[in-house]
C-alpha cells in the first residue's frame, strides 16, 4: 500500500555465496544485524552471507509519487559468485495497489 512502512527480515539460508538484494527505486533502512540493533542506515541494497540476518524497513512511495503506468517495481536478488555469471538470480515484483479500498458496505455478506 502507498505511504506505509513495512518491516522485513532477510535470512541468509543459502549455502555458499553471498547475495545482494535491492528494491528498485526504494531505499532500505537497516536497523538490526544478526539480532543486534544498529544505528539505522539507509542503503540501496543489502549484501548478506550464509547465516546472517538483516532487519530493515521499506517505506513505500506515497500515492502522488506513483504514476498510473508505473505501480510495479522489481526486486532483485543475485549471488556475488563470479565464476558463472547470471545463473543465481532471483526476481520478484513490488506492486502497489492504487485502487481505493471499498466501503465496508460494498463487501458481500458471506454469512447469509
Amino acid at each position: 500500500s502507498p505511504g506505509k512502512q513495512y518491516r522485513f527480515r532477510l535470512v541468509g539460508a543459502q549455502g555458499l555465496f553471498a547475495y545482494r538484494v535491492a528494491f528498485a527505486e526504494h531505499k532500505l533502512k537497516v536497523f538490526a544485524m544478526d539480532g543486534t540493533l544498529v544505528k539505522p542506515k539507509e542503503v540501496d541494497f543489502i549484501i548478506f552471507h550464509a547465516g546472517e540476518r538483516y532487519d530493515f524497513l521499506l517505506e513505500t512511495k506515497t500515492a502522488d509519487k506513483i504514476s498510473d503506468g508505473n505501480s510495479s517495481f522489481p526486486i532483485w536478488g543475485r549471488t556475488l559468485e563470479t565464476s558463472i555469471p547470471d545463473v543465481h538470480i532471483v526476481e520478484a515484483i513490488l506492486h502497489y495497489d492504487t485502487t481505493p479500498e471499498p466501503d465496508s458496505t460494498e463487501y458481500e455478506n458471506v454469512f447469509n
Side-chain angles (χ1 to χ4, degrees):
S1 296
K4 294 192 177 182
Q5 202 173 60
Y6 293 92
R7 177 185 178 164
F8 288 85
R9 175 171 288 158
L10 281 177
V11 178
Q14 71 274 25
L16 294 175
F17 304 104
Y19 264 87
R20 174 180 164 159
V21 173
F23 288 64
E25 298 182 40
H26 291 76
K27 296 282 189 184
L28 311 175
K29 187 181 285 186
V30 176
F31 65 90
M33 296 167 52
D34 292 330
T36 302
L37 293 176
V38 297
K39 183 178 178 181
K41 180 169 176 89
E42 275 196 358
V43 297
D44 294 318
F45 58 87
I46 297 173
I47 295 175
F48 61 103
H49 297 265
E52 290 184 326
R53 295 183 315 267
Y54 282 85
D55 292 87
F56 67 92
L57 298 175
L58 172 75
E59 191 166 327
T60 59
K61 296 180 179 293
T62 56
D64 61 319
K65 293 192 178 181
I66 302 171
S67 63
D68 293 330
N70 191 20
S71 60
S72 296
F73 299 87
I75 303 169
W76 296 290
R78 179 183 190 145
T79 66
L80 299 184
E81 176 186 11
T82 58
S83 62
I84 308 172
D86 299 329
V87 172
H88 300 117
I89 297 173
V90 294
E91 298 172 327
I93 296 174
L94 170 63
H95 178 73
Y96 287 86
D97 183 5
T98 56
T99 58
E101 292 187 23
D103 293 333
S104 60
T105 56
E106 294 180 35
Y107 288 107
E108 180 182 340
N109 186 349
V110 296
F111 297 107
N112 287 338

